[in-house]
Amino acid sequence: MTHTPSAVIILAAGKGTRMKSTKAKILHEIAGRPMVLHALDAVDCLEPQKKIVVVSPDMDEVTRVVVAKDDTVEIVIQPKTLGTGHAVQCAGEALADFSGNVIVLFGDTPLMTAQTLQRFNDLMQSHDVGVIGFRAGNPTGYGRLIRDGSGNIIAIREHKDASADERDIDFCNSGVVGMAGKDFPTLIEALSNDNANGEYYLTDVIEIAASLGLKVGAIECNEEEVLGVNTQAQLSTAEAIYQNRARARAMENGVQMVAPATVYFSHDTVIKSDVLIEPNVVFGPGVYVSSGATIRAFCHIEGALIGKNAIVGPYARLRPGTVLSEAVKVGNFVEIKNAEISKGAKVNHLSYVGDAKVGAAANIGAGTITCNYDGFNKHLTEIGEGAFIGSNSSLVAPVRIGDGAYVGSGSVITKDVNRNALAVGRGKQKNIDGWAETYRSKNVKNKKVAKD
Ligand code: UD1
Ligand code: MG
């Protein structure tokens, strides 16, 4: 089916006071991404010709976040929050030259799926006005979809304005409303604020459309998809739903998880097939895990590229700029930041590798620290191919360890080391035979004297 082009309006001007936060509601994050960007992402499947986000005058930060993600979005300011209908009226001017369908969504419903929006778009091809409804477990507070005797949708009644009979209806308005371009101006101009809230309700367009003899239709979606986030508790519920979806998606793609409920994904996490993720792993933004890799228990990973068959953890922390090539091993209590670790290299125990380049098959011993920061600047440590860094060494950057070189355990390395050389930078060991015996007997004697 060829679809009529559409414009999308995302309403986001509400104050969100129930979040009890200084941050605008729609900037609160799900899987590390502001809610409003989830809504914007979902509508991309409609290939909208215009995208409008309606904000209130004090929402500069929202504007910044939205435009940084997508500079084709038009920001419209609603001077006062006089209702959802008023918010759409404010966007009307930006649509003066637009003749396609107009679809309105809420910025605080971040779980709407592309499939549902596509079904809705299909409905809009044959209807003048459409709405996405859902069966609410508890309909209190939602607008109810009212039908006539033949089942046609003739109105949406807001909870506060509904009669007792109407309140028994559990088919509710999700907030997504669509209008054909030819009817949009008429419908929007006809809205009034003559209701229990004294607000301009967008939902009134249904009754107006029905009275004009326009064709009104609805599709139904899952209640989960239209969860509106108004409180911190609802935010955590939305996060849980998102995470469950992400886990299911990963497993569908061939990722093995021992305890999926304990693994947390970011909105952009990419995990290829045949990756094993053990329990209690958290992925922050910007992670790509290649096939065959194993992420062992209790790892925290962000901004990292993990190569094929690499093994990470348990208890590893990978920070932004980490690139692990094929078959690299990063073990327990190891932190890596802004470092490239080449094929087959090992950093197995208790190390910090930051601002570094590690050559293929190098071995970094337990407790090795790259001293990358002098209090003002960060410096690079380069470790050559096949180099061997003895345990408990400090590599004071900037410093370069040549290919195949050895660093003796416990060294503090401040100067470059040539390839295949040995560097030992520690106090020389001195042994004094019999010293301990003499020391002990002297002290035992003194102690006796003191007691007498
Ligand atoms: C709305 C619907 C209701 C539906 C419910 C679903 C109306 C009148 N009611 O009610 O039928 O069942 O959502 O969750 O539409 N907003 C603005 N400007 C305003 C007012 C609101 O941009 O002046 C934005 C808010 O930021 C929010 C959205 O519109 O993203 C919805 O507003 P809200 O006040 O939460 O509407 P509800 O009372 O929940
Ligand atoms: Mg709401």
Side-chain angles (χ1 to χ4, degrees), residues 222-258:
N222 189 323
E223 182 167 12
E224 229 183 48
E225 284 191 50
V226 291
L227 174 79
V229 174
N230 301 304
T231 62
Q232 298 285 354
Q234 286 167 334
L235 182 68
S236 72
T237 306
E239 177 79 40
I241 295 168
Y242 185 96
Q243 291 298 337
N244 277 334
R245 285 184 186 172
R247 291 163 191 147
R249 219 173 21 241
M251 289 186 282
E252 271 163 32
N253 292 339
V255 175
Q256 185 188 352
M257 282 187 273
V258 179

Side-chain angles (χ1 to χ4, degrees), residues 144-410:
R144 310 299 207 282
L145 298 188
I146 313 287
R147 295 179 193 272
D148 66 9
S150 347
N152 301 313
I153 290 169
I154 50 165
I156 297 177
R157 194 81 67 233
E158 287 306 302
H159 182 85
K160 278 194 183 163
D161 302 290
S163 67
D165 277 354
E166 287 169 338
R167 286 186 181 182
D168 283 342
I169 299 170
D170 70 348
F171 194 37
C172 294
N173 172 27
S174 69
V176 181
V177 169
M179 291 160 271
K182 65 177 175 53
D183 305 311
F184 176 72
T186 321
L187 294 170
I188 287 302
E189 272 160 34
L191 295 175
S192 84
N193 62 353
D194 181 15
N195 51 50
N197 262 354
E199 280 184 13
Y200 293 87
Y201 290 161
L202 171 64
T203 44
D204 283 349
V205 297
I206 306 293
E207 196 160 1
I208 298 164
S211 71
L212 293 172
L214 299 178
K215 198 171 172 200
V216 181
I219 61 158
E220 187 176 332
C221 78
N222 189 323
E223 182 167 12
E224 229 183 48
E225 284 191 50
V226 291
L227 174 79
V229 174
N230 301 304
T231 62
Q232 298 285 354
Q234 286 167 334
L235 182 68
S236 72
T237 306
E239 177 79 40
I241 295 168
Y242 185 96
Q243 291 298 337
N244 277 334
R245 285 184 186 172
R247 291 163 191 147
R249 219 173 21 241
M251 289 186 282
E252 271 163 32
N253 292 339
V255 175
Q256 185 188 352
M257 282 187 273
V258 179
T262 67
V263 175
Y264 292 84
F265 294 104
S266 171
H267 64 97
D268 59 353
T269 311
V270 180
I271 317 251
K272 305 306 275 187
S273 64
D274 289 318
V275 167
L276 166 65
I277 306 173
E278 291 186 356
N280 296 300
V281 172
V282 176
F283 292 99
V287 177
Y288 183 104
V289 185
S290 310
S291 62
T294 299
I295 313 296
R296 305 202 57 199
F298 295 101
C299 288
H300 190 280
I301 302 174
E302 57 187 323
L305 206 156
I306 298 172
K308 278 188 180 168
N309 304 324
I311 301 177
V312 178
Y315 296 98
R317 179 174 185 206
L318 303 185
R319 292 172 52 205
T322 296
V323 178
L324 308 185
S325 299
E326 199 177 330
V328 161
K329 281 189 180 174
V330 172
N332 44 276
F333 306 107
V334 169
E335 174 180 346
I336 300 191
K337 183 216 76 169
N338 188 32
E340 288 172 29
I341 318 285
S342 301
K343 191 173 172 180
K346 294 178 191 164
V347 194
N348 269 338
H349 333 266
L350 300 152
S351 288
Y352 172 62
V353 178
D355 301 304
K357 284 193 169 135
V358 177
N363 190 333
I364 313 260
T368 298
I369 306 291
T370 54
C371 309
N372 59 329
Y373 186 47
D374 58 14
F376 295 94
N377 295 301
K378 305 277 168 68
H379 303 282
L380 182 70
T381 300
E382 289 177 82
I383 298 171
E385 265 184 50
F388 184 97
I389 312 298
S391 295
N392 199 30
S393 293
S394 302
L395 309 176
V396 183
V399 73
R400 184 182 294 164
I401 315 291
D403 292 350
Y406 258 68
V407 169
S409 293

Side-chain angles (χ1 to χ4, degrees), residues 18-19 21 23-36 38 107-111 227-243:
R18 281 175 289 167
M19 295 299 284
S21 163
K23 189 154 86 173
K25 175 164 82 174
I26 52 166
L27 290 184
H28 283 81
E29 295 179 352
I30 308 270
R33 155 181 271 193
M35 279 195 272
V36 65
H38 283 276
D108 63 356
T109 47
L111 300 170
L227 174 79
V229 174
N230 301 304
T231 62
Q232 298 285 354
Q234 286 167 334
L235 182 68
S236 72
T237 306
E239 177 79 40
I241 295 168
Y242 185 96
Q243 291 298 337

